[in-house]
Amino acid sequence: MRTLKHPLRSEIQLTDVFHALSDPTRLAIVRGLDGVGERSCSGLDVPLSKSTLSHHLKVLRDSGVTHTRIEGTHRLMSLRREDLEARFPGLLEVALRREPTPSG
C-alpha cells in the first residue's frame, strides 16, 4: 500500500503554512474541512480539474496543514488542527474566520 509523506509536527514551518493558506482556493478547502473530520476529494465543493485540485491538496499536505489517508481508492483529508495549534497557537482559528461582508 502506498503511503504519503507528511511533515512531522516539529517540521511544520510558519512560512509554508502561510504560503498554503494564502491561496483563496486552498483556504476554501481548509474551511470546508473544518469541523467535518475527514472528507474525500470528491466530497470537496471546489470546481477545479482533478489535476489542479491534486496540486492544491499536495501544497496543503506538504505544508502540514492537512493529513491525507489512503483507504482503498479513496483519499481522505483532514485538518492537522492539533499539530498546527501546538506549533502556532491560534493561527488556524484566525485563518478560518470569515471576513465580514461589507454592508450597504
Side-chain angles (χ1 to χ4, degrees), residues 72-102:
T73 59
H74 300 282
R75 290 180 182 227
L76 303 169
M77 279 78 57
S78 60
L79 288 180
R80 291 181 64 179
R81 182 176 288 282
E82 288 182 21
D83 291 334
L84 291 170
E85 187 62 26
R87 290 285 287 151
F88 314 110
L91 176 66
L92 191 57
E93 289 307 315
V94 171
L96 292 173
R97 282 188 203 153
R98 304 280 181 185
E99 295 178 23
T101 56

Side-chain angles (χ1 to χ4, degrees), residues 10-51:
S10 62
E11 296 172 334
I12 299 173
Q13 298 296 310
L14 186 59
T15 53
D16 295 336
V17 173
F18 278 158
H19 169 73
L21 297 176
S22 70
D23 182 89
T25 298
R26 290 191 290 266
L27 185 56
I29 291 168
V30 169
R31 286 178 174 158
L33 291 172
D34 184 39
V36 297
E38 290 183 315
R39 182 167 277 173
S40 68
C41 294
S42 60
L44 297 171
D45 186 25
V46 185
L48 298 172
S49 68
K50 286 184 181 182
S51 61

